[in-house]
Amino acid sequence: MTIHKPAPLDSAVSLLERLVIDPSAITSELRSDDQLRKRLLSAIQKLVPELETPVEACQRVLYNALELPMARVAIDLNVLNNLKESPSPLTTEDLANKSGKSPNHKLLARILRYLASLSLIREVDTDMWTASRFGNDLSGRGQSAGVCHMVDNCFAAMITLPAFLRRHEYNPPETEDDTAFAQANRVGAEEKTFFDWLKTRPQNAKDFNVFMGSHRTGMRTWLDRPEVIDEITSSFKKVTAGKEGGEEKGVSFVDIGGNIGHQCKAFKQHVPDLKGTIVLEDLEEVIANAELEDGIEKVAVNFLEGQPVKGAASYYFRSVLRNWSDPYSRIILGHVRDAMAEDSLLLIDELVLPDRGAHRYETQLDLTMLAMLNAEARTETHWKQLLSEVGLEVKSIVYYEDDAREAVIMAKKAAI
Ligand SMILES: C[S@@+](CC[C@H](N)C(=O)[O-])C[C@H]1O[C@@H](n2cnc3c(N)ncnc32)[C@H](O)[C@@H]1O
């Protein structure tokens, strides 16, 4: 017996099926209308758990722990890049020969079959593979480093989180050395935190650094907001006014925990005419890998111990304080407050979560910080509270990316 479905639903499903067969038919139109694209994506994502049977839901959720590790294997065997660079489909044997390793062909075919089921590659015929849009998106240097970072640096901590939380009766300690990461990796006394652990693992550190430099590629940034640049420029004029050496000798921007200097370089490029020095601060072993141009200086700093640059126009943290629980963040911010002049500006470039309705990325990031560092992503109320506890006052919060609430919090020393 044929069941007749309501016509509009049937035609909506047919439209989606046509899209799957030939996405290019509408993707170019959708890419020029980002709101529409996001609406469609969100609708599809929300519909999946509504449509699944319990068995289908279990099959999807219970096995998705394999997705990231197998993407890691695809990167090890250079599958994604080899397919991306090939003008025609490749066989399993071709991919084995181009992998730079000597994988067993039957094993490789099983891996490729799984990758195709995730749309990371496409199976165009029996034993014939070609690149997919999704696979190409993951094959760039930064994205590949992100996959390696998540698997090699974070995965053990994430898997250990349930046992860690049970052990602590769901009251995780705020100390830096008692984390799910430490429990998973059995670190020694000298390796208190993830950052200490990286010191003796150069490849893990490299993946982390490359990922840090690239994970926001394509997103709007704080530099897109002229009011933030105007505030820095104005602070620079005020802190250098009447000082020996004037603007030439002043410090315009200090990037604290700035890794290998991506934001210092971006700032310099964005405001080339602003005089003064830009300072990159991070741990000694991190800044050793920073290649910087004239006008940017590097200073090795442990920000838990102090802030050596005094009276700069602006002090900037990006994605740093999310790594530290409140007691440690108070220490880090306290050192900066002591170094600030009355007109210095503190810039915190971070997620500012809403009190309800957080984006999935924000919640994922928050729990990753819990697993790795006993730290967290903070709400606006939490940020204001934290800053006021160390004598800093929020002047404004400038949101620059709507979905995930990326923002720059601008603060000054509170009046005593
Ligand atoms: C999540 S990363 C953010 C890096 C950079 N701000 C960015 O947004 O790409 C945190 C940075 O803090 C640095 N860091 C960790 N502990 C530190 C410490 N005690 N003193 C100075 N820097 C530290 C790390 O080396 C790393 O570069």
Side-chain angles (χ1 to χ4, degrees), residues 143-346:
Q143 291 81 354
S144 299
V147 171
C148 299
H149 164 64
M150 291 308 281
V151 174
D152 301 349
N153 298 342
C154 304
F155 224 55
M158 289 171 169
I159 290 171
T160 307
L161 193 56
F164 174 81
L165 292 178
R166 265 198 308 275
R167 183 161 71 85
H168 288 287
E169 297 179 342
Y170 304 94
N171 293 289
E174 287 183 329
T175 55
E176 57 176 352
D177 53 352
D178 185 6
T179 56
F181 175 82
Q183 185 172 321
N185 292 288
R186 295 189 193 90
V187 294
E190 75 293 352
E191 290 182 343
K192 282 187 172 183
T193 68
F194 163 61
F195 297 109
D196 299 317
W197 182 87
L198 283 182
K199 287 180 188 175
T200 52
R201 292 167 178 84
Q203 186 56 48
N204 299 61
K206 189 171 174 195
D207 288 333
F208 173 67
N209 292 342
V210 171
F211 179 53
M212 281 302 106
S214 66
H215 69 115
R216 298 192 194 191
T217 306
M219 291 172 75
R220 281 189 284 267
T221 84
W222 66 290
L223 292 166
D224 294 325
R225 298 304 301 253
E227 62 269 54
V228 181
I229 305 299
D230 289 349
E231 282 292 335
I232 299 176
T233 310
S234 152
S235 290
F236 186 59
K237 287 192 190 333
K238 287 182 192 157
V239 298
T240 53
K243 293 271 163 56
E244 201 186 326
E247 293 190 4
E248 301 291 341
K249 292 277 176 206
V251 175
S252 58
F253 180 74
V254 184
D255 188 0
I256 309 170
N259 199 253
I260 51 173
H262 347 277
Q263 292 306 297
C264 288
K265 290 180 193 168
F267 179 72
K268 188 166 169 53
Q269 212 171 22
H270 202 83
V271 201
D273 297 332
L274 191 65
K275 295 200 179 86
T277 305
I278 294 169
V279 177
L280 167 67
E281 292 184 350
D282 208 295
L283 296 167
E284 194 162 3
E285 63 276 10
V286 176
I287 58 165
N289 295 313
E291 291 168 15
L292 304 170
E293 59 234 46
D294 282 354
I296 309 179
E297 286 177 9
K298 38 180 157 172
V299 178
V301 164
N302 178 345
F303 51 47
L304 292 164
E305 291 174 1
Q307 175 47 250
V309 180
K310 314 288 180 199
S314 63
Y315 295 87
Y316 172 83
F317 288 99
R318 187 181 85 156
S319 312
V320 168
L321 295 167
R322 64 178 60 170
N323 297 159
W324 300 90
S325 61
D326 284 0
Y328 293 95
S329 292
R330 281 193 285 268
I331 294 171
I332 297 166
L333 287 166
H335 290 311
V336 178
R337 178 212 50 222
D338 292 346
M340 285 168 77
E342 193 189 334
D343 291 309
S344 300
L345 191 62
L346 172 67

Side-chain angles (χ1 to χ4, degrees), residues 40-58:
L40 178 61
L41 191 61
S42 165
I44 293 169
Q45 284 168 343
K46 286 185 179 145
L47 207 52
V48 169
E50 295 298 332
L51 289 180
E52 285 170 331
T53 63
V55 169
E56 287 162 346
C58 282

